[in-house]
Each structure stands twice: as C-alpha cells, then as structure tokens.
Amino acid sequence: MTAIVTDSPAVRAAAERLAVAARLGTPSAPVRDLIGPDDVTLAYAVQRLGVDERVAAGARIVGRKIGLTSPAVQQQLGVDQPDFGVLLGDMDVTETAAAQRPRLLQPKVEAELAFVLDADLDADLLDATSVRDAVDYAVAAIEIVDSRIAGWDISFADTVADNASSGWFVLGSERLSLTEFEPREIAMNMAINGEIVSTGTGSACLGDPLEALAWLARAARDFGEPLRAGEIVLSGALGPMAPLRPGARVRSELFSGARTLGAVEFALEEEQ
C-alpha cells in the first residue's frame, strides 16, 4: 500500500457521483466504470477525496471502520482482503441529533465490537499483541451501514470508494477492559423489534477482532494516516447484517460464556 493520490479525473468524477447521490438522497450507478472493479489505489483515492470534502465542510474525523471481515462476504465479492472507511463525528448516533446526521439511503444494520484507543498505532510491528496494549477500552457497537450505489450493486472498489459503505454508528455505555475477556471468544446476538435477526462470534471477525484491528493499523500506517490515541475503531461485523426499516428498534448484546459483557440499543425514527 502506498500514499493516496487524488489528482485524477476519474477519481474526481467518481467522488462527485457519490457526493451527488448523498446530497440528493438518490442512489447512483456504481463507480467501477470510472475506476475499475478492484483497483485498490484508485478506490481509496476516491474515498480520501470524499472525506476531505466532508472535513473541509466542517466534519471531524473520530476514527475508522473495518469492513469485509467475513470470509463469506469476501468470497461473494471475489476479494481476499478487508477494507476500511473513515468515521466522522456526525455519524455518531450517540452524539449527533437526528437532523444533523448524514442522510441514509439504503441502510442495513450489523453488530460489532468497537475499540477506543489510548495510544497511537504507528510502530513498525503491529500485530494482535501490540495493538491490544493500545486499546483503552472496548464497547458493544451497532453500525448502520449504507450505500450510495443503487441496489447495493457493489464491487470491492465501489464499496471502498463509498467510504466502505459507511452510514452511522452507536456505541454502548459499558466500557470493557481487555483484561476482562478475549475478543475472539465473545458471542453476539442482535434483535430487531424483539426478534433475533443475527448471531455471531468474535472469531467471525478475521478470526479475532484484535487481528482486524492489527490489519487496520498496518493499512492506515502504510497509507500515511496511522490510527491515533482517542480514535474509535469499529472492528467488523460479528454476524450477518440485516435490513433496517423506519421504526426498527435494534438491540445487540455481547456475551463471554454465560456473562453479559455489554449491550447497545438504537431506534430508527419513523419516516415523516
């Protein structure tokens, strides 16, 4: 991986297509006709340009998210690697009023384990052991994923360019020390309106959410934007995602054996 260069007509055209979709609330055609279906460098360049424009308009970077951590999803898209996106402050449902959040177009929901860092991750050696020491605490999290591309008709490059299909996220209130549990051993269930719609385990996330964090730390460092103390990292889905419709009440719980580690809830407002 190398530093991202955004000065390309194809990159600018792809970023503009996605920005218009977000602004108008109308999903667009995929962008792979402009940047190819699997060009990692161009895809992250589009993502960078979109994030830079959001930051220039006043958004604040608060962390990153990891996507495509499930082998089944990787196989579906024909890729052999995860991807990452950037978390902005207005995506945080726990902090941002509904009227100030980015518009959702085609939302789905998934349950995750989030890490909050208390040290930078810019060292030469970044593995599951070293990144563990940089984690301040973990929390149960819900990610509301979204796509600006019509019908979720995405290749690897499409989702990367679209900021890894980011939407919103919400964090639980229970802060969990990594001395209390092993992330790879946790279990998860997620319910919508009281009905279980997704279950999973920590091992479904690249074998261990800490391995996912290590992958992200290396990727972010190699792209020239290492993870920093205070940032939030959504480490990837612990189970299948589910459609999210107005009026849905979502609750995810994390377990270590018979012990409940934490829970997080979110309700999507009814359409007006």
Side-chain angles (χ1 to χ4, degrees):
M1 294 183 181
T2 58
I4 303 171
V5 178
T6 58
D7 187 18
S8 155
V11 167
R12 291 195 296 272
E16 177 63 15
R17 183 180 295 177
L18 294 169
V20 169
R23 185 166 61 248
L24 299 182
T26 303
S28 75
V31 296
R32 55 184 178 267
D33 63 314
L34 298 169
I35 61 172
D38 52 15
D39 190 312
V40 175
T41 300
L42 288 181
Y44 278 111
V46 176
Q47 180 188 122
R48 167 72 68 81
L49 193 57
V51 170
D52 286 350
E53 290 178 352
R54 291 285 316 279
V55 169
R60 178 174 57 93
I61 295 174
V62 297
R64 296 330 139 79
K65 60 155 286 185
I66 311 170
L68 302 178
T69 54
S70 162
V73 176
Q74 289 186 7
Q75 185 176 13
Q76 182 182 24
L77 289 179
V79 301
D80 60 0
Q81 61 183 310
D83 69 351
F84 70 84
V86 177
L87 300 178
L88 301 171
D90 59 1
M91 299 176 182
D92 186 351
V93 174
T94 56
E95 298 290 338
T96 307
Q100 277 73 55
R101 298 170 194 162
R103 182 183 306 196
L104 295 177
L105 278 66
Q106 306 170 102
K108 302 174 186 284
V109 63
E110 57 191 30
E112 307 195 8
L113 181 70
F115 299 112
V116 178
L117 305 178
D118 67 356
D120 295 347
L121 286 173
D122 54 5
D124 291 336
L125 176 63
L126 292 169
D127 58 17
T129 300
S130 60
V131 300
R132 174 191 286 268
D133 294 335
V135 173
D136 187 9
Y137 58 90
V139 294
I142 290 171
E143 184 182 4
I144 298 91
V145 294
D146 197 15
S147 181
R148 270 54 61 179
I149 293 169
W152 282 83
D153 177 18
I154 56 175
S155 67
F156 181 71
D158 290 311
T159 187
V160 169
D162 191 22
N163 197 21
S165 302
S166 297
W168 302 348
F169 66 95
V170 56
L171 304 180
S173 59
E174 297 98 335
R175 297 186 176 190
L176 308 171
S177 167
L178 295 189
T179 61
E180 301 177 56
F181 73 104
E182 282 296 331
R184 69 177 177 274
E185 296 175 359
I186 61 174
M188 173 278 296
N189 66 45
M190 182 175 71
I192 296 180
N193 296 333
E195 178 183 352
I196 299 293
V197 297
S198 180
T199 61
T201 65
S203 61
C205 180
L206 287 186
D208 184 342
L210 286 172
E211 292 287 359
L213 175 59
W215 174 86
L216 173 63
R218 293 190 297 268
R221 177 201 61 196
D222 293 348
F223 271 129
E225 293 188 342
L227 299 174
R228 297 300 185 188
E231 289 192 330
I232 300 161
V233 175
L234 300 181
S235 63
L238 300 173
M241 61 185 175
L244 184 66
R245 298 180 176 86
R249 302 183 310 280
V250 185
R251 178 179 173 85
S252 174
E253 296 179 304
L254 300 181
F255 304 90
S256 177
R259 181 167 62 103
T260 301
L261 289 174
V264 56
E265 296 182 340
F266 165 74
L268 184 62
E269 296 182 348
E270 295 278 4
E271 291 181 335
Q272 300 300 313

